[in-house]
Amino acid sequence: MSASARDFRPDIEGLRALAVAGVVAFHFGLTALPGGFVGVDIFFVISGYLITRHLAAEISETGRLDLLRFYARRARRLLPVALFVIAATLAAGAVILSPEEQALYSKGAMFASAYMINLWLIRWSFDYFASDAASNPFIHYWSLSVEEQFYLAWPALLMLAAWLKPGRRTIVLIIAVAGLVSFAACAWLTSVSQPWAFYFSPLRAWEFAAGGLCAMAPGQLLARHPRLRLALGLTGLAMIATAYLTFSEDSPFPGFLALLPVAGTVLLLMAGAAGVRDGISSRSFERKNAGHFSSNCVDAALALPPLQWIGRLSYSLYLWHWPVIVYAGMLTPQLTVAQRLACAGLTLALSVLSYHLIENPIRRNGWLTAKAARALVPALLLTGTGVAAAYGNAKLAVHHLDREQRIIATSAAEPSTARAKAGCVLDYETVTPKPCVFGNGQRTIALFGDSHADHWSTPLIEAAGKNGYRVETWLKTSCRASRFTTWSSKLKRDYSECDRWREQAIDEIIAAKPALVVISELALTSQRKMAAGKGEPDERDADWQAGLRATLTSLSQAGLKIAFIRDVPFNDENIDTCVSRALWRDRAPSLCDQTRAYAANDRMAAVERAIVDSVPGASYVDLTDRFCGTTTCHVFIGGMLAFRDQHHMATPFAQSLEPEMEERVISKVGR
């Protein structure tokens, strides 16, 4: 019997099935598992457990590590099917994605091929749960990159332990210290800069370390106490189930919350390991007695044939599921349950094929397993080819863009006048206002609010300059002028920095005594649409109304005139992408138009207007007629792209509204 057969653990195969099922269910929206994404954390713990057990055993037996052999096994197991899925995803993207998307995501494929996409995602600040992430067909490769980086560092760490002082205790101590440092940094950065905590492999190392410590734990006690084993197994399952059912994309994750699924997985591994020490570990036993892996029901459940089958396919399932659901969502934006089930069926079929035709044959190929170099040399060549092909595809995708596609790309990329000046739109963490001045007029117009005030800066600054005014801006990312505390999906907590900045900004604006204060902000109904029902609840409408009135009243009582610009319509997808895809498929841009009932937020605007009109010196400015007719809101107006995403104006179109800004806003100064 081979070593791999002797080491086979049906419970671990079952755990893999639970992990991939959670991830797929979360992404497909097929079940009420809002925390299914923690399945990735289960994989991390399992990897830490298996790799540590294998490396520690080799060090104990030989006093050294055969690193070439170790990496050859990893290459045979992981690389071929991963690169095949990348190639297939790029090929499908050539038909489905717009040229700009092909260029962007080909860069993602390049970093995924090199197992560095987690670092690229940090660089570009992709939030795993954000709308732009939902269109990235390679974002799920971040976890594979973290694992590969772990495989590079972990053997060195264990060899260091063996060099310092041979023995089990030194390895345990080194792993424990590394894990504690990693966890402390992860917990801190989750609240400070969540993308780093989520994607950066050293900050996920504690999850692998937890598995490693589990691998080093003695199991004799549990082996002699089957009831304790059962209790640990049931507790572990309950902890994972709790994470699946109660966590969500708004949870401050990983941080302290990740302890729950990690600890649950550790308990299940410990309980299963005790069963193995009773001698029940061989693949032949599993095949004959999968339902009776051990004397307790947890092991029996994890060893059920359906879970064993899904567990064997888990790697291929993980690779295929995300591009399938991403591309399906692009082709049919509102997928029905039946269509999602069809996507699940397609994912399963692709996984079965890739497992039997690529993954398993290459992993077990006799010629490749005979010598490490036979696997490593082709692996390096394949990786280099994958990186080069993805890079070439990124360049070719935009090499011959037609005029319309170039206009869309440049319009979406052009920043507003205020944003183009460094430091004028503050980030999430900054709380001290840093006003910027545009123009040299004698009198001042203040622009105050979030990014929805910022996108008016281009026409406002131009109109103000023509009329002898300068514009001074008080702008902060995602921070309304209304005195209203909101939850930040990026920070995963209340946006307290906004509240502190707002109060200082109001004081500074009053002290500056501008001739007019121009305010605009993201409509509350638009925020709810962005959050797909998980944003501010309806009962907070009263808080928002009171907050808006409070801000306007403070400015009014200081003798300032106010022009409040109604928010622009909201779209159900990124308009630059939608229009670009439509043109790529020889469709009209009107395909992306929205119904006014959905986009315009008319009911909320009526409430907003009533509040503004009730405050002395305040005027309500409504430019919705430039976007919408009686039934439809348009996204391509006068040959120009109106929006650069779901809810921000494209700067060239915003500039075209300068006459309206002069007529409907600057005119308020003289009233």
Side-chain angles (χ1 to χ4, degrees), residues 404 408 571 573 575-594 632-637 639-642:
E404 288 181 315
I408 293 167
N571 305 284
E573 60 182 312
I575 294 306
D576 60 324
T577 300
C578 180
V579 172
S580 185
R581 286 180 193 159
L583 294 174
W584 181 244
R585 301 168 192 166
D586 295 323
R587 307 285 295 276
S590 59
L591 180 72
C592 305
D593 288 348
Q594 311 284 310
T632 304
C633 292
H634 304 285
V635 300
F636 207 71
I637 302 170
M640 304 176 74
L641 184 72

Side-chain angles (χ1 to χ4, degrees), residues 200-221:
F200 194 41
S201 52
L203 303 184
R204 289 299 193 120
W206 68 273
E207 301 184 36
F208 296 94
L213 289 174
C214 178
M216 302 302 294
Q220 290 84 353
L221 178 65

Side-chain angles (χ1 to χ4, degrees), residues 309-367:
W309 185 62
I310 295 296
R312 282 192 291 275
L313 295 175
S314 59
Y315 183 53
S316 286
L317 283 168
Y318 183 82
L319 291 173
W320 282 113
H321 86 281
W322 184 241
V324 166
I325 196 64
V326 165
Y327 284 161
M330 291 177 180
L331 296 172
T332 308
Q334 301 298 326
L335 291 170
T336 65
V337 173
Q339 289 168 330
R340 291 177 186 275
L341 288 171
C343 289
L346 176 60
T347 299
L348 190 60
L350 291 170
S351 301
V352 169
L353 289 173
S354 62
Y355 176 80
H356 288 290
L357 298 179
I358 301 172
E359 181 183 346
N360 212 37
I362 292 177
R363 179 175 55 171
R364 301 185 182 282
N365 182 275
W367 187 83

